[in-house]
Amino acid sequence: MSMIKTTNICKSFGHLEVLKNVNLTVEAGEVVCIVGPSGAGKSTFLRSLNHLEKITSGQIFIDDVMLDDRENGVNKVPLTKQEKNALLLRMGMVFQRFNLFPHKTVLDNVMVAPIHVKNMDKKSARVIAEELIERVGLKDKLNVYPSKLSGGQQQRVAIARALAMQPEIMLFDEPTSALDPELVGEVLSVMKKLAEEGMTMLVVTHEMGFAREVADKVVFMYDGSILETGTPEKLFTNPENERTRQFLGSQLKV
């Protein structure tokens, strides 16, 4: 079963084409990493899946249900607002920046969305939040405010917050790019555990070691298009596209 499928997605900002006929399928339980240079359209593609960006044309399917069928920016899918929101809530997203509420504790940050978006009672939300905070290794930080946490700890809270909505798919938009190098490992460790547990994950990343170790499939994007897709072994050791070879050569120094 495909959890995410896109067909000929295009996105323009005025005359600037940032996505050009992007086709990608992510199967249930699959970890797909998108790599490529800055400006390739990676983040825009990810953000288009959960409607943070509206595509200009193309189709988006979530769990084999059509979410978008757009032409000239107009969606032809007759979904109600409730149906659309139900599909979008099946995806959780972690951003480059943590965007935690500074006036709320770690526990409150993780509880807030289930209570206000899913109308979950506070007792149930607290049970789920405490379990998730423990899973990301921050059990001793329940009542701490974000300003007292390191960047890596804040990003782990952000992951717990996204998981609190009990999504079936997790989208990660360069989740370690804003971190100091010594803090990257603790976030990647949490993501590896999620992958091992079978979470469907689509990850935009510049961490080649993570992509090589964890991904089932690696996608190389350049100038708004997918130029190459393959297993980590194939893409990293024997890329077919010259642009892929150049990019990986600069990243891996090989």
Side-chain angles (χ1 to χ4, degrees):
M1 180 189 297
S2 61
M3 295 299 290
I4 297 172
K5 182 180 178 182
T6 68
T7 306
N8 295 324
I9 281 189
C10 297
K11 169 66 177 177
S12 297
F13 293 105
H15 295 296
L16 179 64
E17 282 187 291
V18 291
L19 296 177
K20 305 169 186 176
N21 296 309
V22 178
N23 296 282
L24 181 66
T25 300
V26 181
E27 305 293 342
E30 193 172 37
V31 179
V32 177
C33 286
I34 303 177
V35 302
S38 297
K42 308 183 299 296
S43 293
T44 300
F45 174 67
L46 209 65
R47 290 167 63 86
S48 72
L49 297 175
N50 62 7
H51 282 192
L52 292 175
E53 298 285 357
K54 300 291 176 63
I55 60 173
T56 305
S57 62
Q59 298 175 327
I60 298 174
F61 298 83
I62 304 299
D63 199 7
D64 288 333
V65 178
M66 186 180 281
L67 173 65
D68 278 290
D69 182 11
R70 289 183 184 264
E71 192 173 318
N72 296 320
V74 178
N75 193 2
K76 298 182 284 183
V77 180
L79 291 178
T80 65
K81 185 177 180 179
Q82 288 77 14
E83 289 170 330
K84 183 184 80 171
N85 288 342
L87 279 176
L88 293 174
L89 285 174
R90 298 172 87 157
M91 293 179 282
M93 188 160 181
V94 177
F95 301 88
Q96 296 178 32
R97 296 289 172 182
F98 329 119
N99 299 323
L100 300 178
F101 292 113
H103 62 289
K104 292 183 179 293
T105 64
V106 166
L107 180 62
D108 289 335
N109 264 284
V110 179
M111 288 174 59
V112 66
I115 291 171
H116 292 285
V117 179
K118 298 186 87 172
N119 296 316
M120 189 179 292
D121 64 88
K122 286 187 177 181
K123 184 176 180 181
S124 299
R126 185 183 181 104
V127 169
I128 291 170
E130 288 183 349
E131 176 191 324
L132 288 170
I133 292 165
E134 183 172 0
R135 272 175 70 187
V136 299
L138 294 170
K139 185 179 180 181
D140 60 334
K141 305 293 185 183
L142 283 178
N143 298 309
V144 173
Y145 289 90
S147 62
K148 301 297 184 183
L149 301 176
S150 70
Q153 290 170 331
Q154 290 188 59
Q155 191 62 295
R156 284 188 277 156
V157 175
I159 293 173
R161 179 183 58 186
L163 291 172
M165 293 296 287
Q166 300 173 311
E168 298 167 42
I169 306 160
M170 284 289 285
L171 309 176
F172 291 90
D173 186 10
E174 301 213 34
T176 60
S177 66
L179 301 179
D180 292 332
E182 66 270 19
L183 302 176
V184 168
E186 63 191 61
V187 174
L188 294 181
S189 177
V190 170
M191 293 170 64
K192 287 176 188 176
K193 287 178 186 174
L194 280 178
E196 290 165 3
E197 292 164 4
M199 174 64 75
T200 305
M201 296 166 59
L202 183 56
V203 185
V204 170
T205 185
H206 60 279
E207 299 291 342
M208 297 300 130
F210 174 83
R212 197 167 200 161
E213 179 183 350
V214 179
D216 297 297
K217 184 164 67 185
V218 180
V219 175
F220 175 67
M221 284 188 73
Y222 181 85
D223 193 28
S225 300
I226 291 177
L227 294 192
E228 190 165 354
T229 301
T231 63
E233 182 180 8
K234 178 181 179 298
L235 204 83
F236 284 110
T237 61
N238 190 29
E240 296 176 358
N241 188 282
E242 178 59 29
R243 290 284 188 191
T244 313
R245 284 195 289 272
Q246 290 174 1
F247 174 76
L248 294 176
S250 68
Q251 294 294 307
L252 302 173
K253 303 295 188 292
V254 294

